Amino acid sequence: MKLLALATATLAAATALPALAAEISDGKVKIGILNDQSGVYADFGGKWSFEAAKMAAEDFGGKVQGAAIEIVTADHQNKPDIASNISRQWYDREQVDSIMELTTSSVALAVQGISKEKKKINLVTGAATTELTGKQCSPYGFHWAYDTHALAVGTGGALVSQGGKSWYFLTADYAFGYSLEEQTSKFVQANGGEIKGSVRHPLATNDYSSFLLQAQSSGAEVIGLANAGLDTANAIKQAAEFGIVASGQRLAALLFTLSEVHGLGLEAAQGLTLTESFYWDRDDQSREFAQRFFERTGRMPNMVHAGTYSGVMQYLKAIDKAGTDETEAVAKAMHEMPVNDLFARDAKVGANGRLISDVYLMEVKKPDESEKPWDYYKVLATVPGDEAYIKPADSGCDLVKQ
């Protein structure tokens, strides 16, 4: 009888092992970092976000639920069709479980649509449009790091309160630019400001002269740069050549990060007001991460890089909590779990997939105020997440119970 009991127990244990292994599909967890690695947003996210994702996988221990973690990457070149082809290939043939980063709003919207169709989780840190958690939300889609509403509340609010009542926009001609202009315009007008007009420029143009001259001739007190990456940096450089700031108009960099400030230099960037959801020199935890990131990349992280680390880490935690990488279970865990890490403190994920965390209003230091390398920001204010982001019930997402 003892031998029979032992044999039965051994057989039960042996048959249980494959069932446990089957909880992780394909025996591994594969995450794709899809972004711009060769264009205007290459420093904004690019290969540096890939490094941040690899750091998260390594810090998690290289495995989750006993399965190896693999991070892959590709360059979508800011083209939704290329991004769509890559994402379908990743999902259909290369066993990718989740796609993340997704710089460029038109790309992020396209890939989120495909992820919803395939019932795969996507997590956006590089794109800004509120549509991702609004009318085009997905039960498997998550938006980390920032969005156009948070940028409008932060930067737009600061300049209106400082007397910048009239605005003219220089806007990137695609979904992100439109959303950023729209969100900031609403906030400016709600606070008694005036919109004098806008002009749209092609992505990655080299000549901003005609657009800047239109903005200058508008007489607006603030020229809002509703673009990002090298587009913003090049517009600021050319604005200086036209003497726009010297003549009394102000530039509002509505999406500008530490990476672009570094590329532009403090001499040109000093005095700019901007909004980020992370600063490397905020506290001991952010400094420790930033130093390790610097040792790998030779640069300090911006909010996209730190947000990508956070997003990958939270996804892995959700798999661990769920005990499986099955999409529905992981999405449920992602919605339930608070976020407490080097990127966000006491943050939560809304029913629409939006990470609700604090953002910071920054002013770029003057050269003589900077005390060490990468010491670029003065934190002017902290905007609580509940103020920075659209309330899920007001987002237009049909997943939110009214």
Side-chain angles (χ1 to χ4, degrees), residues 131-149:
E131 286 293 293
L132 288 160
T133 51
K135 292 180 180 178
Q136 298 191 51
C137 67
S138 163
Y140 318 120
F142 298 88
H143 198 179
W144 242 242
Y146 74 104
D147 67 19
T148 51
H149 189 270

Side-chain angles (χ1 to χ4, degrees), residues 351-396:
N352 60 346
R354 173 69 256 173
L355 175 66
I356 302 169
S357 62
D358 295 346
V359 301
Y360 306 97
L361 179 66
M362 313 286 200
E363 182 180 289
V364 178
K365 291 183 175 182
K366 297 175 182 176
D368 60 4
E369 294 175 325
S370 180
E371 298 178 352
K372 56 189 175 184
W374 296 87
D375 176 26
Y376 294 160
Y377 289 160
K378 292 184 286 187
V379 179
L380 300 180
T382 299
V383 183
D386 288 332
E387 295 178 18
Y389 295 102
I390 299 171
K391 290 179 172 56
D394 299 329
S395 66

Side-chain angles (χ1 to χ4, degrees), residues 11-12 89 97 110 115 178 182 188 195 233 316 319 366 391 393 396:
L11 177 61
Q89 178 176 320
D97 298 294
S115 300
Y178 312 151
E182 179 186 8
V188 168
I195 306 302
L316 296 173
I319 292 173
K366 297 175 182 176
K391 290 179 172 56

Side-chain angles (χ1 to χ4, degrees), residues 141-272:
F142 298 88
H143 198 179
W144 242 242
Y146 74 104
D147 67 19
T148 51
H149 189 270
L151 299 175
V153 170
T155 309
L159 291 180
V160 172
S161 66
Q162 293 173 17
K165 297 291 187 181
S166 61
W167 286 61
Y168 189 96
F169 290 94
L170 199 69
T171 302
D173 192 11
Y174 73 104
F176 152 71
Y178 312 151
S179 180
L180 186 50
E181 179 187 330
E182 179 186 8
Q183 295 285 344
T184 307
S185 296
K186 286 180 181 177
F187 196 80
V188 168
Q189 291 171 322
N191 286 272
E194 173 192 4
I195 306 302
K196 290 205 164 188
S198 66
V199 62
R200 292 175 176 176
H201 69 80
L203 180 68
T205 186
N206 292 316
D207 185 3
Y208 295 86
S209 56
S210 64
F211 310 119
L212 288 167
L213 287 172
Q214 289 181 62
Q216 188 176 36
S217 64
S218 73
E221 293 167 313
V222 179
I223 299 173
L225 302 175
N227 47 23
L230 287 178
D231 279 336
T232 307
N234 289 334
I236 291 170
K237 289 177 184 177
Q238 292 180 34
E241 294 170 6
F242 284 108
I244 288 177
V245 175
S247 66
Q249 289 177 295
R250 304 181 70 171
L251 294 178
L254 297 174
L255 176 52
F256 210 56
T257 75
L258 192 78
S259 302
E260 291 76 51
V261 171
H262 181 72
L264 194 57
L266 288 183
E267 190 63 41
Q270 61 181 301
L272 281 173

Side-chain angles (χ1 to χ4, degrees), residues 28 46 84 102 105 112 140 144 155 179 216 232 243 249 257 295 298 303 313 315-316 326 332:
K28 63 180 179 299
S84 296
L102 296 169
S105 292
Q112 180 155 293
Y140 318 120
W144 242 242
T155 309
S179 180
Q216 188 176 36
T232 307
Q249 289 177 295
T257 75
E295 289 168 0
M303 65 178 172
M313 186 66 77
Y315 174 64
L316 296 173
E326 190 274 323
K332 184 175 184 291

